[in-house]
Amino acid sequence: MTQFMNKKEDIVTDAVDGIIAASGGKLARLDGYPHIRVVVRNDWDKSKVALVSGGGSGHEPAHAGFVGEGMLTAAVCGDVFASPSVDAVLAGILAVTGSAGCLLIVKNYTGDRLNFGLAAERAKAFGLDVSMVVVDDDVALPDLPQARGVAGTLFVHKIAGALADRGVSLKEIAERVEKVISGTKTIGMSLDTCTVPGSPKETRIPKGMAELGLGIHGEAGVEQIQYTNAKQAMGAVVAKLADHMGDGNHVALLNNLGGASVLEMAVLTNELAHSDIAGKLKWLIGPASMVTSLDMRGFSVSVYASDDEELETLSHPTSLSAWPGVSEITPVTVLNLPDGLAPIKPLPSEHQETRDFLIKCCEVLIESESDLNALDAKSGDGDTGSTLAGASRALISTMDTLPLADHTQLYRAIGQELSQAMGGSSGVLLAIFFAAAGDAASSGLSMTSSLKAGLVRMQEVGGAKLGDRTMVDALLPALDALNDGWDMAANAARAGADHTATLVKANAGRATYINAQQLEGHTDPGAEAVARLFEHLQG
Amino acid sequence: MTQFMNKKEDIVTDAVDGIIAASGGKLARLDGYPHIRVVVRNDWDKSKVALVSGGGSGHEPAHAGFVGEGMLTAAVCGDVFASPSVDAVLAGILAVTGSAGCLLIVKNYTGDRLNFGLAAERAKAFGLDVSMVVVDDDVALPDLPQARGVAGTLFVHKIAGALADRGVSLKEIAERVEKVISGTKTIGMSLDTCTVPGSPKETRIPKGMAELGLGIHGEAGVEQIQYTNAKQAMGAVVAKLADHMGDGNHVALLNNLGGASVLEMAVLTNELAHSDIAGKLKWLIGPASMVTSLDMRGFSVSVYASDDEELETLSHPTSLSAWPGVSEITPVTVLNLPDGLAPIKPLPSEHQETRDFLIKCCEVLIESESDLNALDAKSGDGDTGSTLAGASRALISTMDTLPLADHTQLYRAIGQELSQAMGGSSGVLLAIFFAAAGDAASSGLSMTSSLKAGLVRMQEVGGAKLGDRTMVDALLPALDALNDGWDMAANAARAGADHTATLVKANAGRATYINAQQLEGHTDPGAEAVARLFEHLQG
């Protein structure tokens, strides 16, 4: 699959420059391109313990995205999935370390251990106080003496970052994060492999399978399991973690390995909150892409039994948008539905003249059913006549329940009835027309003005303007002429409807998807319906 | 491709519950599952203007992820890519609207306009003050009268959110965001289609092509173009935007459509910051997944010429982790490399006894070259002998430059030489050994104690313990015995080396990847080298 990059060998320097450009001037880099790619805080005065991390790239936002106030001081970025050189690490250490010293936070991979380890020794030769901790949180491989460092590294970055920010000494920070490291456990799962830039995608994971306990560099998982659904996937992950969890309130870190959608991560969050270990999980970091494996459609869960003081450091402020913060995991609050969803039923009332008028309108539309269907067949799916006739029949059958004597309420009641009886957009638009007209009538406007107000609102919502080949082309001129009597209104409606046959481009509604040749010469069925209504009412 | 979900019809309710579970109790939902999925602020007192948005799901974190202090009051979530019902929208409005009224922020799709529009009319019938704005920021389709609403909607959410938070009236908020809407322009690009849950993936975009101007529901782009690289992709996007940008300082919003890796987004950020419109871009929101299209490997850029007051509202605090904040786009600060990367060259000095000792050590290793290679061939790639012999030859050739009379400096100098002359892990480990020994010597420890300190450090970094089938198995007992003389040390080294032939499992180094049967009966070549050194030195 193609990816957004330029030359493969420039991907890390391009990305580092992008991260710095988006930092608002808070980050800088050392002048060591292409081989030395070190991101540092631009406002660092060396008065506190410096925290330096890094490793291979491809795990963004880790680690450059976590450089900033309250977290790391510098990140040393290797090639994708490759350890940075000793010189690069040393440059990072020398650039940020003052008399308070420096802590190297290293994920447990041979290359990183060696290169950071030797850089530490070289820095010590300059009289600098440098310590190194190695994060080995992955529980995927129980028998491997060297557990890998994966997303649990974030606990270390954040806790050490808060301690350093508060002026705690190097010795104490190192001791406290060693405790964090020994208590942090992580396992990952993926439905697909990642795509290494410039390399063909591996097709190791068959459709319908998931890999459990996989690394963050595309290493194969410990096992492939049948994938059923999100619940089962999270169940398999927490089962691996459960063996390693003691008592106490744990913080969970839910990490997107890069390619799961935000929607999927939300589903997984819900499963984690209802999983077998949920009783031990009190706080959550994420879901977010924190330590990714490029575009891997997978996730990892890290857990740590945090004491109150550590929790407080995890909650210590940082302005870094890559850090999602810590939230307490709470049961979902469900609020009662508000009153008013069931429409207000108006009191029925009788008014013979109104009843006769409405029934006549309905009959006109019922009689026009086949004509309107035939017109609609030219530009749509041929059901305008049936839709209007059906709504008319429904309106006639409900006549006894309408507030016929209260015209203000009547508009709204008709709108409500039409929105229920008619499917699709037209029902909603007519409901809006009558509801807005009712609003206007209730504020004392005349019938004509009220109907015009309804039309304005319907146009606002529906977006149809005059000339767009909709019912508006007949209704708008008719209402404009209505103060001059039904005859003038009917003439205007007819002229408007006929004019639609000359409009070769529809700008609203479904007919927008039809080409000009198909439309020419055919009146819009909605406009025709309006014209027929006015024509029959003029008598 | 398989996705993390349970039943397709539950994906939105599962995700909504996940979002609420991760909100730290700040969010709640209405009791309307499965059809009414409304996320509301749990701390909302209706004293300010309520902001309600929503639409189809599949765009997470939009919109539920933007419900919270300083942004939305409620989000109404439809099915994936489908508008929510009128009832759902009405429930949302009624749940959060007080006397200050409610603003509906709707993306310009027919379904959303109609359903939110009718819900607004129904809410008005309850006497509520409801306004609606329609966002139409997509410039992909210049001739379409109804531009779509896409990621630029976030400008509206954030600016309206800040204004509402400050107690600004509904009327004024609506007016001010109408200005924002008319000035916001967005266009998207993707290298691949998205995967709609439960549907097969569309293979519309051929390899090597990109779609420009595509929607957020998998709608096809306006055009397919040849994809070259990130620079060209961003160039095509900004070319479309440039036509719509006036003067003034613009804010850019760089949105991940869901499937681009964080690394790729950083590369795209760099390209945006160097694009043809860079001169007009002063601030950046993102890169981040804000209005996604499920797992689409694409991005969109939105621009808005913000005045100072609007910028201030965009920067108004919110605790929502989905909002990445606004940063000024600044040139990348490049700091000089620190002094000290070039190793300190010790002053050469002469000391015949030391010179003889070192040369003898080197000769032992050179003579052992083929034997050690043969041993290594059993468990590795057969080059241990050549590596050590090569380093020995290099050390001999550099003898005149070494500080032979200053043993403290000599350790470090040998370490430096070995790390340059030897490739791979062994060179780094020996460099660490000698550097740490030098440190110890400089603090006044004896040779034996200094070498032991070096060994401890090498083990810490390399991770090898006694019995792990490495050189440690010979070196550690030898150093332990060294105070009793070279003979005892040599005996201990030999016994340790021979013992490695009985260790059937390697726990460190490359031999970890070899199975037990292949190792049995073969001495570890590193341990053998150490034993031979001590044996030849005892004489």
Side-chain angles (χ1 to χ4, degrees), chain B residues 29-175:
Chain B
R29 69 169 176 87
L30 300 185
D31 189 12
Y33 277 0
H35 299 304
I36 294 183
R37 293 160 300 205
V38 176
V39 176
V40 299
R41 283 180 61 176
N42 205 9
D43 56 353
W44 183 244
D45 67 2
K46 299 191 181 179
S47 63
K48 295 171 180 172
V49 173
L51 303 177
V52 177
S53 191
S57 294
H59 309 300
E60 293 66 27
H63 296 281
F66 296 109
V67 175
E69 196 175 359
M71 290 191 76
L72 300 178
T73 319
V76 188
C77 308
D79 281 327
V80 170
F81 295 169
S83 185
S85 69
V86 175
D87 275 357
V89 179
L90 179 61
I93 299 171
L94 294 176
V96 297
T97 306
S99 59
C102 175
L103 181 69
L104 303 182
I105 302 167
V106 179
K107 296 193 299 306
N108 195 17
Y109 300 97
T110 305
D112 286 343
R113 288 176 73 126
L114 297 183
N115 295 334
F116 279 78
L118 180 54
E121 294 307 320
R122 290 224 190 129
K124 286 179 193 168
F126 290 94
L128 297 176
D129 192 6
V130 181
S131 291
M132 176 167 133
V133 293
V134 179
V135 186
D136 54 356
D137 54 320
D138 190 3
V139 296
L141 303 156
D143 297 331
L144 198 74
Q146 298 282 356
R148 298 175 289 209
V150 287
T153 310
L154 263 288
F155 286 125
V156 181
H157 289 341
K158 188 62 179 64
I159 291 174
L163 295 173
D165 200 29
R166 292 169 186 175
V168 173
S169 73
L170 174 59
K171 186 164 174 292
E172 187 179 340
I173 295 174
E175 282 167 11

Side-chain angles (χ1 to χ4, degrees), chain A residues 96-112:
Chain A
V96 296
T97 306
S99 60
C102 175
L103 180 68
L104 302 182
I105 303 169
V106 180
K107 297 193 299 306
N108 195 16
Y109 299 97
T110 305
D112 286 342

